[in-house]
Every structure is written in C-alpha cells, then in structure tokens.
Amino acid sequence: MTRAAALFLLAFAACPAAAQDDARAYLGLAPDPAARIMELGTWVARDGLTFLADAFILPGGGAMQPLPVPETQADLAVRLRASDGSVALFAAIFSANPIRCGEEVGAFPIESGYAALMSPQDLAALDLYIARGLMTGGDDVSQQIDRALNGAPLLLTLPDATTYPIVPTTIEGDLPAYALYDTDGDMAALYGVFDLAVPDAGAPPPCVQSLS
C-alpha cells in the first residue's frame, strides 16, 4: 500500500459513517416511529453567515462573530428526550450527502435557556421590528415568542417574512456546536447537543489532516 493510500484510508477510518450515513442518519434524525423527532421547517442563512445565539440575549457590539455556513435551504429538526420531551439535539441540515467527519465550530452562549440560529440580516430585521414599536404584546411575533417561552421549538416569522429558529435548551452555559462535513469537504449540517452533564456529548469523529 502506498503512503498516499494509507493516508486516505486513515482519514475515513476516523468516521465509521463515512460514505454511507447522511447527516439525518448520523444524528438520529431519520424518520423512525420510535424516535421523537420534530421538524421545524426550512431556513436560509442569508449571505452564508449565522450567529450561534441566545434567542433573547442577542449578539451586539461586535462581541460575536458570525459563522460561515452554506447559503442554501436547510432543514431544521430537533430530537426530543424520551424522558421529559425536552430538546436533546437541534440541527440545521444543508445536504443529504454522505458524511465524512466533523468538528466543533463554536458554542451557543446560553443565558436565557433558549438557542437560536440567526443570520446578521435576521438580527437586523428583528432590531428594526422592535425599533418601530411593533412588538406590543398582542402582536403575532409576541405570540410566537410566548409559545417558545412555553417550551415549543419553532421557526419565528417576522412580518417581512424573515424567519429563524428558536429552540429551548433547558440548560444554560456555553453549549457546543458542531459541523458535519461531506466527502467533498462541504458543510452538510450544523448542530448543537444540549447536555453539559456528558463532556463532548454528540461530538463527531474528527477530520484527520493529511500529513505533510
């Protein structure tokens, strides 16, 4: 076996799912009557950027930098715990390509108990909505937020058709976010696992770098 071939096999040996599982299968989000899966809808990270955000303590002042992600329609899904129905995993799935590997790409800085994925444009649209005094408590957006505060994962929709997901985490802290990459090296999914009790819970098999 040549050295190049050995490196190729080493890279794929790090991920048992290589060349067979897509992101849904890898994350346990494939249709399964026994699984507790909730589909939230679809979302596009406009300009190919998203904040890993606390849904109610929003990024500002340049303190947070957005994460580059594919600017393509993503399926949003959560996996619920069988014990109490809380969210165990939240994912944005960008493609159905086979998964090669993944890495930690940041963290949701959760103080309120709710996570969100928001593009800078999503955040600007929400800021404008609030600045115009349209959030009165009885408006549709306030009613959606009330549902979220009652524990319902949802795709929040503003009057200008801006949408972004809000998901209850039930815990606070820096909750790690991970990316999965396909066999071409493109991001196939972005997800968070809401469990601080288990270190590296849900961490994907690492991408092995080629030796120089």
Side-chain angles (χ1 to χ4, degrees):
M1 179 183 296
T2 66
R3 180 173 180 271
L7 290 175
F8 180 87
L9 291 175
L10 178 62
F12 279 81
C15 180
Q20 50 183 331
D21 285 347
D22 64 12
R24 280 188 176 276
Y26 181 82
L27 296 173
L29 294 171
D32 182 346
R36 304 191 66 183
I37 309 302
M38 180 182 295
E39 303 289 339
L40 304 185
T42 61
W43 168 75
V44 175
R46 291 179 286 177
D47 293 332
L49 296 169
T50 187
F51 290 109
L52 304 170
D54 184 301
F56 300 114
I57 302 175
L58 300 175
M64 292 178 60
Q65 295 300 312
L67 176 73
V69 297
E71 191 178 2
T72 188
Q73 183 171 283
D75 293 330
L76 301 170
V78 298
R79 190 174 74 231
L80 306 177
R81 293 182 177 89
S83 58
D84 59 6
S86 62
V87 175
L89 181 144
F90 164 50
I93 301 170
F94 300 107
S95 81
N97 295 336
I99 296 304
R100 173 187 175 185
C101 58
E103 64 179 350
E104 186 173 341
V105 291
F108 293 92
I110 303 303
E111 296 181 45
S112 70
Y114 297 84
L117 291 174
M118 310 176 70
S119 75
Q121 289 191 46
D122 297 339
L123 179 59
L126 178 62
D127 284 344
L128 181 61
Y129 183 78
I130 295 171
R132 288 177 172 173
L134 299 176
M135 191 170 288
T136 62
D139 61 294
D140 179 66
V141 173
S142 294
Q143 291 176 22
Q144 292 179 70
I145 289 175
D146 285 343
R147 291 200 299 274
L149 290 172
N150 285 324
L154 55 80
L155 190 63
L156 185 79
T157 302
L158 300 179
D160 68 353
T162 292
T163 62
Y164 65 89
I166 296 178
V167 176
T169 64
T170 69
I171 55 175
E172 300 174 3
D174 290 331
L175 309 182
Y178 303 99
L180 292 176
Y181 301 99
D182 64 21
T183 51
D184 292 325
D186 297 322
M187 187 184 292
L190 175 67
Y191 68 100
V193 179
F194 303 144
D195 189 350
L196 290 179
V198 181
D200 299 323
C207 299
V208 177
Q209 300 295 322
S210 297
L211 300 176
S212 58

